């Protein structure tokens, strides 16, 4: 555990740390071996005594979020897709600045009902999730009201190959792409498309992720959902989003890429 490394780096023994902190030596051992979760006060005391107070904020954020940081999709979806869609509503309602990067599918807030239905039907088929797709689609469509709140801002980046990946069928995909053009015209939305064939520089393609204000990053893995609240880790995703945004095109050039994808559907 990181606290053990901090203690060793400081040159303190476990006994010396326990004595200085005023607790039993066994508590130090239990914390270092993950048998006892440290409280916020424990972490502050630990970093102060080890002269590592600059790490306090990250350590506390990690300790608070460690249980919910990595959750398998099957566990998340066990209670139904509708419940999973509803679970993020409080986060969407309190966030002021959204940053979404999608290398898999169209961002959820810009999806049509038919496109969402096709995505969720695939989830049901691949992960044996409960089939309450219609109810889940209704929740996601209702969630899109945040785009019209007037006080929230949405920056979205999509890889061009997402536009070329047919979800559902050609008709569903064409309607989705047409909807994307209109949705991107909303004053609260900034949509960037990262063209295929451009020099990427430091903007490597990565897993799809979202950043909510500067407080939380959510990462979509094949098997699980990862939630990060440690400031240092969130900052890494903010930096990555900034790099990706530099190779994206916006406005008329972005619309041309979407239109070309529609034309390619025949």
């Amino acid at each position: 555990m990181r606290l053990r490394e901090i203690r060793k780096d400081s040159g303190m023994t476990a006994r010396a740390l326990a004595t200085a902190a005023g607790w039993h030596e066994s508590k130090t051992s239990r914390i270092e071996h993950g048998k006892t979760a440290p409280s916020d006060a424990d972490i502050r005391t630990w970093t102060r005594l080890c002269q590592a107070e600059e790490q306090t904020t990250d350590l506390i954020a990690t300790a608070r979020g460690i249980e919910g940081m990595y959750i398998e999709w099957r566990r998340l979806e066990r209670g139904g897709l509708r419940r999973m869609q509803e679970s993020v509503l409080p986060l969407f309602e309190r966030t002021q600045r959204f940053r979404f990067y999608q290398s898999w599918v169209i961002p959820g807030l810009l999806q049509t009902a038919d496109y969402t239905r096709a995505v969720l039907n695939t989830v049901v088929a691949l992960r044996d999730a409960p089939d309450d797709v219609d109810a889940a689609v209704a929740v996601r469509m209702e969630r899109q009201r945040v785009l019209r709140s007037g006080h929230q801002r949405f920056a979205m980046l999509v890889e061009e190959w997402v536009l070329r990946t047919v979800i559902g069928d050609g008709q569903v995909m064409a309607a989705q792409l047409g909807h994307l053009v209109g949705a991107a015209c909303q004053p609260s939305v900034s949509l960037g498309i990262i063209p295929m064939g451009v020099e990427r520089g430091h903007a490597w393609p990565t897993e799809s992720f979202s950043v909510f204000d500067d407080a939380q990053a959510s990462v979509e893995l094949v098997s699980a959902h990862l939630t990060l609240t440690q400031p240092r880790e969130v900052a890494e995703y903010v930096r990555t989003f900034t790099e990706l945004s530099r190779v994206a095109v916006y406005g008329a050039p972005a619309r041309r890429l979407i239109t070309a994808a529609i034309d390619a559907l025949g």
Side-chain angles (χ1 to χ4, degrees), residues 47-93:
T47 55
R48 176 175 56 80
L49 294 175
C50 294
Q51 299 183 344
E53 291 179 281
E54 73 282 356
Q55 299 187 49
T56 302
T57 301
D58 277 355
L59 288 167
I60 288 175
T62 298
R64 288 179 178 177
I66 197 164
E67 288 188 0
M69 186 185 309
Y70 181 96
I71 305 178
E72 291 184 359
W73 287 117
R74 290 181 184 273
R75 178 181 163 192
L76 276 172
E77 295 157 358
R78 193 176 298 155
L81 299 178
R82 174 183 178 177
R83 182 178 298 178
M84 192 177 77
Q85 295 293 322
E86 290 174 336
S87 69
V88 300
L89 285 175
L91 175 62
F92 276 66
E93 288 171 351

Side-chain angles (χ1 to χ4, degrees), residues 1 28 49-50 64-65 71-72 75 80 93 118 127-128 135 143 145 154 163 167 186 191 198 207 244 253:
M1 187 178 182
T28 301
L49 294 175
C50 294
R64 288 179 178 177
I71 305 178
E72 291 184 359
R75 178 181 163 192
E93 288 171 351
R127 296 202 284 260
D128 197 28
R143 191 168 71 206
R145 71 180 187 277
F154 306 84
L163 309 180
I167 302 294
Q186 297 186 63
L191 175 64
V198 298
E207 64 275 5
L244 289 163

Side-chain angles (χ1 to χ4, degrees), residues 11-41:
M12 295 187 76
T13 65
R15 178 173 297 176
L17 176 61
T19 299
W23 59 53
H24 197 277
E25 185 177 350
S26 64
K27 176 176 177 177
T28 301
S29 178
R30 291 195 305 273
I31 289 175
E32 289 189 348
H33 290 88
K35 296 180 179 179
T36 297
S39 67
D40 292 0

Side-chain angles (χ1 to χ4, degrees), residues 102-169:
Q102 267 294 346
S103 57
W104 293 3
V105 296
I106 301 297
L109 288 177
L110 302 183
Q111 291 179 6
T112 64
D114 286 340
Y115 185 93
T116 295
R117 185 172 291 104
V119 170
L120 296 182
N121 279 333
T122 300
V123 169
V124 170
L126 293 180
R127 296 202 284 260
D128 197 28
D131 188 356
D132 59 347
V133 169
D134 287 342
V137 170
V139 173
R140 177 169 286 186
M141 294 301 102
E142 171 61 19
R143 191 168 71 206
Q144 293 181 359
R145 71 180 187 277
V146 298
L147 294 172
R148 302 181 294 276
S149 70
H151 62 272
Q152 294 167 298
R153 293 294 177 265
F154 306 84
M156 305 189 186
L157 297 175
V158 179
E159 296 283 354
E160 184 185 358
W161 62 72
V162 172
L163 309 180
R164 302 285 183 148
T165 302
V166 179
I167 302 294
D169 58 26

